[in-house]
């Protein structure tokens, strides 16, 4: 590796290490506009220097931002671009240029689509990709995805299916003492409004009661 190329990788990596993760954080927090602004700043800073893996990640961050903003059409467009970029990465042997960036696979795009579908209230997006999506990530990521899948079942009116899944994710949140998972579980529960919840929901309520992390 030449000194010039090494310096370029360090410079680009400094930009990359901040903006896309920040965009994803803002999107998960429901701040769609700020998420998209973060992704745009990353694109402007990286310009034509970004490696192919950066495109795949950036498109996924933009998809999450559009979903948080409620724009289904723009979300779908960004997901399509992210999947195309991820598929193209499979034809190369070159690893990501920075040790803190993992390769981006179609399974990660599927996981992103599940999350976007849950935010947009689109059960078809959530349920069609759930098996592929759960093949990626670590235990806490999978727990959040399970809750997104549960949200998709709720949007489709499948209460029993939703609350067959949600307790598994909550167990992971409690095991890892993850406040993010527990709060996401509460958010999923709040989407169901009924004066007479079935037993599976009452059992879930009982498990959530008094849990604060």
């Amino acid at each position: 590796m030449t000194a010039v190329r090494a310096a370029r990788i360090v410079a680009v990596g400094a930009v990359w290490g901040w903006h896309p993760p920040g965009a994803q954080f803002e999107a998960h927090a429901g701040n769609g506009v700020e998420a998209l602004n973060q992704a745009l700043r990353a694109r402007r800073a990286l310009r034509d220097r970004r490696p192919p893996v950066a495109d795949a990640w950036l498109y996924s961050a933009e998809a999450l931002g559009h979903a948080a903003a409620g724009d289904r059409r723009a979300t779908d467009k960004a997901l399509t671009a992210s999947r195309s970029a991820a598929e193209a990465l499979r034809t190369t042997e070159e690893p990501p240029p920075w040790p803190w960036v993992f390769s981006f696979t179609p399974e990660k795009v599927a996981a992103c689509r599940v999350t976007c579908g849950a935010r947009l209230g689109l059960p078809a997006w959530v349920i069609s990709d759930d098996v592929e999506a759960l093949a990626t990530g670590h235990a806490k990521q999978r727990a959040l995805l399970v809750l997104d899948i549960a949200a998709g079942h709720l949007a489709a009116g499948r209460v029993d299916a939703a609350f067959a899944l949600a307790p598994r994710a909550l167990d992971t949140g409690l095991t890892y003492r993850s406040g993010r998972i527990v709060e996401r579980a509460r958010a999923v529960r709040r989407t169901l409004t009924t004066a007479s919840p079935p037993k599976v929901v009452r059992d879930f309520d009982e498990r959530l009661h008094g849990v604060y992390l």
Side-chain angles (χ1 to χ4, degrees), residues 6-212:
R8 176 172 169 259
I9 287 174
V10 170
V12 174
V15 174
W16 179 256
W18 172 252
H19 287 293
Q24 291 176 332
F25 175 83
E26 294 293 346
H28 284 301
N31 303 322
V33 172
E34 181 56 29
L36 292 169
N37 285 339
Q38 291 262 11
L40 179 60
R41 284 195 287 271
R43 285 195 181 279
R44 286 175 174 170
L46 295 172
R47 298 191 300 276
D48 59 350
R49 299 175 297 171
R50 61 182 183 269
V53 68
D55 268 332
W57 278 103
L58 278 169
Y59 281 126
S60 73
E62 288 164 351
L64 290 168
H66 288 304
D71 190 335
R72 173 181 177 171
R73 191 171 184 177
T75 301
D76 194 28
K77 183 177 179 181
L79 286 169
T80 299
S82 182
R83 180 172 286 276
S84 295
E87 292 285 2
L89 285 171
R90 283 186 161 172
T91 66
T92 69
E93 295 294 330
E94 186 175 353
W98 316 295
W100 61 89
V101 176
F102 295 101
S103 185
F104 204 85
T105 64
E107 289 76 22
K108 286 186 171 67
V109 182
C112 183
R113 188 171 190 264
V114 166
T115 299
C116 290
R119 299 296 184 274
L120 292 167
L122 300 172
W125 284 24
V126 175
I127 297 167
S128 65
D129 277 344
D130 58 358
V131 174
E132 185 181 8
L134 288 173
T136 188
H138 53 63
K140 290 191 286 186
Q141 286 179 322
R142 288 195 297 272
L144 289 167
L145 281 171
V146 166
L147 289 168
D148 287 337
I149 294 167
H153 282 295
L154 276 180
R158 303 184 182 103
V159 175
D160 286 346
F163 286 95
L165 291 170
R168 290 166 36 198
L170 180 59
D171 284 343
T172 300
L174 296 176
T175 298
Y176 286 93
R177 299 192 58 78
S178 170
R180 182 180 174 192
I181 294 173
V182 172
E183 288 311 307
R184 177 63 180 143
R186 293 187 195 282
V188 170
R189 172 60 182 91
R190 286 194 295 268
T191 63
L192 177 67
T193 54
T194 175
S196 302
K199 184 177 184 302
V200 67
V201 179
R202 296 197 306 272
D203 289 344
F204 188 72
D205 289 343
E206 185 175 336
R207 297 181 68 182
L208 268 179
H209 181 70
V211 173
Y212 296 97

